[in-house]
Amino acid sequence: MEWATLQHLDLRHAGRSSKPLQPHAAAFHPSQALVAAAVGNHIIELDAYTGCKIASIDIGSPVVQMSYSPIGGHTVIAILEDCTIRSCDFDSEQTCVLHSPEKRTEQISTDTEVHLALTPLQPIVFFGFHRRMSVTVVGTVEGGRAPTKIKTDLKKPIVNLACHPRLPLLYVAYADGLIRAYNIHTYAVHYTLQLDNTIKLLGAGAFAFHPTLEWIFVGDRRGTLLAWDVSTERPNMIGIIQVGSQPITSVSWLSTLRLLVTLSKDGALQVWKTRVMLNPNRPPMQANFFEPAAIESLDILRILSQAGGEAVYPLPRIKSLEVHSKLNLAALLFAVKFGNLHIDAHLNITGGDNRKNRAAYTREGRKQLFAVLQSARGSSDVLTGRCGAGGTQKEVFAASVLKEKLSSLGSSGILADHQLQAQLQEQHLKGESQLTITDIARKAFLYSHFMEEHAKSTPISRLPLITVLDTKHHLKDVPVCQPFHLELNFFNRENRVLQYPVRAFYLEGANLMAHNLCSGVDNIYKKLYTSIPGNVEFQPKHLIYSNKQHLFLVVYEFSGATNEVVLYWENTDAKSANNKESTIKGRDAAFIGPNESHFVILDEDKTGLALYVLPGGASQEVGKKNVLDEQSQAADLNVGSVKGPLQFLFETEVDRIFSTPIESTMLFASHGDQIGLAKLVQGYRLSNSDGHYISTKGEGRKAINLKVNEIVLQVCWQETLRGYVAGVLTTQRVLILSADLDILASSSTKFDKGLPSISSDGKVIALWLLFSSTFFFLSLT
């Protein structure tokens, strides 16, 4: 996995200003792919995938901190430099002052630390200034709750605020590391999060909440990351790790990747995974709860250069990281620094002052660099780094100390992190295991002189949106759902009335969710698992639904266990109990036949295939006699009269199987290899196997060859005058195939230029086939 740039949101002409301004605050919509950016005196709402500007509001003063209202709508609550609290409604493009300071002359800057907390349970906002003794609560709608100052039961400086995303709780963090949970209605204390005196804390710098579990992640100002389990009556600390020496300013949970991201005050960004406890009977090891995630470090220069962006010099420090609560999206905000001069992001620097400050900064930087390098010679003349071979622990420690000192000087006069790693890798490939301090100094000076003349140092007037690429899970960012689409002959109808289904189905954890297309309401349609051990991580992989059989096949992936396919019959009789469900071991599933009267399960080894017959689905071509023979040896599933399994065996490994409306025929795909059809009739019986043999390499067999690293993502069939045709979506193209695997049409480039590979709108169902159906019609007519 690695960080990559999705796009750069263009904010250069915010408020029709002739001078480039740098965004200094940002916030994501809680459920939609929308982002709000604060530039100068304006707040701009944009589409996170297309980059289109939706609305812009001039609020009269720069934003210090802001957040979308979790109650709904397109409303942002912001604290401004004039200390007022404003509500900005993008639908009406109107603002409303919710709270004004007692002293009209009171002013703060964009770097001032203020605390803002919103709850989805009430239209109110809690806010407070850093290290004050009280919290103020005010309504978020015009004419709502009047401002009220709340004095907590502890007379201690308050250093942070947060609201629970599901419960009526307000968390107040104090300067001594203590955190108390108060009821938002009565302000009664529910519980306290506090460590013993052996571990010193300085107060929470950031909060994050697990989306499903009652886990709270706290980033302390001492550089300590903690995890609390508050599901019990007495909260327990389940994890602790020292991230660094700098205060932690941001903690965010990546829902799609199930990873935790921390940002320190010095701009260091780290990603963590929570350790899975394999033995629930043993007490959790707090020191082993957090583990570094297997993801490449964020390269600022690469992020700024990708997707049509431009690099700046010196390399900026990350000031803030805003993460979307549901999507694989994040926004980077940078600080501007030239030597000892700290510049607010919303201010501009003239060209002459810019060059003068930069020159002074680089000269001073080189002087400090030389002093650091000279002092480092006494400890170690060798920089081994991550790529160095044979380096001792003492050398590695000296290298890390040196690197920290160099980083504290800024990026002027030193090699950037990605260039330093490239030098270490180059030395390692040449067989040289040591890189001397002299080498580092020489390349650093050369790099500094070059960058002074060729790189830009203007404010970063674009907001980079980044994502985490995972080549093993191309559809991780798309909800696991059942897509629907227009029929091919829709445009030939006289009335052209489209009969949409009542609801669309998608998966959220262990729940089968139903999204009502009329009201937009989401409900739990069926809880597929009544209980799953807390030490087992799981995620849904595929959802297949049969309209004719009213049967769901849901594939789940479990950590440390085999995958399972859940069979669930939709309740069509209101009087009967809704309890028809069972599970089968397997990694993929598909329906076959025009009546979808059979389904197949792909085994974990990718070569075994099991065929099951639904009630009334005896096939003429599948060999009725063989099915009955298998039924006499295998136990029936406990879901009515489903018969099977009838075992088959692929010649080579198969990665995915897909449904087909063709009698006794299944479509399979191997990543980077081929797409083929398998006829499930009695074939050649292996001498040492009880199953049927499916050839995947035989000569004369029709197949579609895939490109290198090309992976089939989705397949959908429709019936036309030419017979059945299939729309095939891969990671590189869209194909239109006949029932005989003839290519009728094909795209030459990716149908979606963005990252992730398929754009989705939160929990709204992904309807890529709406596009491909039009493609079908234009190609076949």
Side-chain angles (χ1 to χ4, degrees):
M1 293 188 293
E2 63 179 7
W3 293 96
T5 304
L6 175 65
Q7 65 176 316
H8 297 273
L9 299 180
D10 193 355
L11 305 172
R12 289 174 293 181
H13 305 293
R16 299 179 181 178
S17 174
S18 60
K19 299 179 181 179
L21 302 177
Q22 181 167 326
H24 50 275
F28 280 103
H29 193 279
S31 60
Q32 300 180 22
L34 301 175
V35 59
V39 185
N41 294 343
H42 289 76
I43 299 180
I44 304 172
E45 186 179 49
L46 304 103
D47 188 296
Y49 282 128
T50 65
C52 298
K53 185 173 74 171
I54 301 174
S56 178
I57 299 177
D58 186 354
I59 54 176
S61 181
V63 171
V64 179
Q65 188 174 348
M66 66 180 184
S67 178
Y68 268 95
S69 173
I71 292 181
H74 296 172
T75 303
V76 166
I77 309 300
I79 301 180
L80 309 184
E81 279 193 349
D82 57 6
C83 296
T84 60
I85 310 294
R86 284 181 179 262
S87 170
C88 304
D89 189 347
F90 290 114
D91 292 332
S92 61
E93 296 192 5
Q94 299 292 326
T95 65
C96 172
V97 178
L98 304 177
H99 174 71
S100 298
E102 297 177 357
K103 300 179 181 179
R104 295 289 182 179
T105 58
E106 191 173 357
Q107 290 282 331
I108 57 177
S109 69
T110 55
D111 293 327
T112 303
E113 190 169 1
V114 294
H115 310 299
L116 189 73
L118 292 108
T119 173
L121 305 179
Q122 274 191 333
I124 56 175
V125 56
F126 298 92
F127 68 94
F129 295 97
H130 190 55
R131 300 190 69 85
R132 297 284 180 89
M133 300 289 187
S134 61
V135 178
T136 303
V137 57
V138 64
T140 58
V141 294
E142 189 174 4
R145 182 169 179 175
T148 305
K149 184 173 291 187
I150 305 170
K151 293 186 178 180
T152 62
D153 57 332
L154 298 179
K155 304 300 181 182
K156 298 179 181 180
I158 297 173
V159 296
N160 215 331
L161 300 173
C163 284
H164 197 284
R166 297 175 296 276
L167 302 177
L169 294 177
L170 170 68
Y171 294 89
V172 179
Y174 296 94
D176 58 352
L178 182 142
I179 301 172
R180 277 201 167 172
Y182 297 91
N183 186 287
I184 63 173
H185 304 294
T186 63
Y187 306 115
V189 178
H190 274 233
Y191 50 79
T192 301
L193 306 180
Q194 186 177 20
L195 300 179
D196 53 37
N197 296 329
T198 59
I199 302 177
K200 182 175 177 57
L201 300 176
L202 299 179
F207 286 92
F209 298 85
H210 195 282
T212 56
L213 302 176
E214 291 303 320
W215 289 356
I216 300 177
F217 304 101
V218 179
D220 193 76
R221 299 173 185 272
R222 193 173 178 267
T224 306
L225 178 63
L226 304 98
W228 293 87
D229 184 357
V230 297
S231 61
T232 58
E233 184 176 349
R234 187 175 182 180
N236 297 318
M237 186 188 71
I238 55 178
I240 183 171
I241 192 171
Q242 190 67 30
V243 174
S245 59
Q246 294 290 323
I248 297 176
T249 58
S250 174
V251 180
S252 303
W253 178 264
L254 296 177
S255 299
T256 56
L257 302 171
R258 294 177 294 174
L259 298 174
L260 196 69
V261 183
T262 60
L263 178 67
S264 301
K265 191 174 183 179
D266 58 355
L269 188 144
Q270 300 182 61
V271 185
W272 309 88
K273 65 177 181 179
T274 55
R275 186 180 180 90
V276 178
M277 306 302 173
L278 298 179
N279 188 355
N281 297 322
R282 296 182 58 184
M285 297 291 291
Q286 297 173 349
N288 298 331
F289 182 80
F290 295 107
E291 291 182 347
I295 181 173
E296 294 186 12
S297 59
L298 188 143
D299 191 325
I300 297 178
L301 184 60
R302 184 187 303 172
I303 292 296
L304 292 176
S305 303
Q306 285 179 343
E310 294 180 345
V312 297
Y313 178 80
L315 289 179
R317 173 179 61 86
I318 301 177
K319 172 187 175 183
S320 177
L321 176 73
E322 300 295 332
V323 175
H324 199 288
S325 60
K326 294 183 181 297
L327 304 178
N328 188 1
L329 283 175
L332 284 179
L333 296 169
F334 296 102
V336 180
K337 176 183 176 182
F338 290 93
N340 295 325
L341 178 63
H342 292 265
I343 303 169
D344 289 337
H346 64 281
L347 299 179
N348 184 43
I349 310 172
T350 60
D353 294 339
N354 192 348
R355 289 189 294 270
K356 186 184 301 183
N357 287 320
R358 182 177 61 182
Y361 180 41
T362 52
R363 284 197 303 270
E364 184 64 24
R366 285 194 294 272
K367 291 180 182 179
Q368 297 180 20
L369 171 67
F370 183 75
V372 171
L373 295 177
Q374 286 293 98
S375 63
R377 294 181 62 88
S379 58
S380 175
D381 284 341
V382 179
L383 185 61
T384 56
R386 288 184 294 180
C387 301
T392 64
Q393 184 177 1
K394 180 180 178 182
E395 291 169 345
V396 174
F397 176 75
S400 63
V401 173
L402 174 62
K403 188 172 181 294
E404 184 177 353
K405 289 183 178 180
L406 293 176
S407 298
S408 65
L409 301 180
S411 300
S412 175
I414 69 169
L415 287 176
D417 182 69
H418 72 283
Q419 294 172 319
L420 177 59
Q421 295 302 326
Q423 293 294 326
L424 293 170
Q425 183 68 29
E426 180 182 353
Q427 295 290 328
H428 181 59
L429 293 176
K430 290 180 180 180
E432 304 174 11
S433 61
Q434 295 180 342
L435 190 64
T436 63
I437 296 296
T438 306
D439 296 331
I440 293 290
R442 177 174 56 83
K443 292 185 177 295
F445 290 148
L446 292 176
Y447 175 72
S448 174
H449 284 292
F450 173 80
M451 291 302 291
E452 283 182 28
E453 300 299 329
H454 294 82
K456 296 183 178 181
S457 58
T458 57
I460 305 173
S461 57
R462 299 182 180 184
L463 179 67
L465 295 185
I466 61 176
T467 184
V468 178
L469 292 183
D470 189 352
T471 56
K472 295 182 180 180
H473 299 85
H474 292 272
L475 293 180
K476 182 181 286 291
D477 308 302
V478 177
V480 180
C481 62
Q482 177 63 28
F484 58 87
H485 55 93
L486 295 175
E487 295 181 6
L488 226 81
N489 61 352
F490 170 74
F491 294 97
N492 291 334
R493 293 179 179 178
E494 294 182 0
N495 54 8
R496 296 185 184 179
V497 176
L498 179 64
Q499 298 295 332
Y500 277 99
V502 177
R503 61 183 68 89
F505 297 102
Y506 66 97
L507 296 173
E508 190 173 86
N511 299 324
L512 176 63
M513 306 294 293
H515 175 80
N516 191 296
L517 297 178
C518 296
S519 64
V521 176
D522 297 272
N523 295 313
I524 297 179
Y525 194 72
K526 176 64 178 179
K527 192 173 183 64
L528 299 177
Y529 286 95
T530 56
S531 63
I532 295 179
N535 62 305
V536 176
E537 285 189 305
F538 70 99
Q539 63 176 344
K541 299 293 293 182
H542 310 296
L543 172 63
I544 307 99
Y545 176 65
S546 171
N547 289 311
K548 298 178 180 179
Q549 301 293 333
H550 302 285
L551 174 62
F552 289 92
L553 300 178
V554 184
V555 183
Y556 276 93
E557 181 183 71
F558 291 87
S559 61
T562 57
N563 295 352
E564 286 186 354
V565 179
V566 179
L567 280 68
Y568 168 62
W569 262 269
E570 189 178 13
N571 185 19
T572 57
D573 186 2
K575 297 180 180 179
S576 63
N578 205 356
N579 57 359
K580 293 182 179 180
E581 61 178 298
S582 184
T583 59
I584 304 175
K585 300 296 182 183
R587 62 178 295 111
D588 206 353
F591 290 101
I592 61 174
N595 296 321
E596 299 174 340
S597 55
H598 300 71
F599 66 91
V600 287
I601 304 293
L602 181 64
D603 291 345
E604 283 290 328
D605 59 4
K606 297 184 180 183
T607 58
L609 187 73
L611 173 67
Y612 295 87
V613 183
L614 294 171
S619 171
Q620 292 82 11
E621 296 186 34
V622 79
K624 187 182 298 183
K625 180 177 183 301
N626 291 312
V627 174
L628 296 176
D629 291 342
E630 296 284 349
Q631 292 169 2
S632 63
Q633 299 177 7
D636 291 351
L637 294 173
N638 58 353
V639 283
S641 56
V642 176
K643 306 299 181 182
L646 176 63
Q647 298 292 338
F648 293 85
L649 189 66
F650 285 103
E651 182 181 3
T652 57
E653 288 188 357
V654 170
D655 293 291
R656 290 293 311 275
I657 58 176
F658 298 95
S659 302
T660 62
I662 307 172
E663 185 69 37
S664 303
T665 304
M666 178 202 61
L667 189 142
F668 65 88
S670 299
H671 296 341
D673 184 13
Q674 63 172 327
I675 302 173
L677 290 173
K679 200 75 171 179
L680 301 183
V681 298
Q682 183 178 0
Y684 298 101
R685 187 179 290 272
L686 298 179
S687 58
N688 58 350
S689 173
D690 295 331
H692 301 112
Y693 181 74
I694 301 176
S695 174
T696 57
K697 292 184 177 180
E699 295 183 2
R701 191 183 56 82
K702 199 69 175 291
I704 302 294
N705 294 325
L706 297 177
K707 300 177 182 180
V708 178
N709 298 326
E710 186 176 11
I711 297 175
V712 178
L713 300 177
Q714 291 184 3
V715 175
C716 187
W717 293 83
Q718 285 196 4
E719 189 174 8
T720 68
L721 297 177
R722 296 186 180 185
Y724 287 108
V725 294
V728 179
L729 174 67
T730 74
T731 54
Q732 300 187 20
R733 51 183 170 163
V734 176
L735 299 170
I736 310 296
L737 306 179
S738 68
D740 297 324
L741 291 188
D742 294 323
I743 299 180
L744 304 178
S746 173
S747 66
S748 58
T749 59
K750 289 185 178 180
F751 77 95
D752 187 349
K753 67 178 181 179
L755 294 173
S757 57
I758 295 181
S759 298
S760 61
D761 189 12
K763 60 188 177 183
V764 178
I765 310 304
L767 303 176
W768 71 269
L769 284 170
L770 188 62
F771 159 81
S772 59
S773 297
T774 307
F775 190 18
F776 285 164
F777 177 77
L778 296 177
S779 301
L780 298 177
T781 60

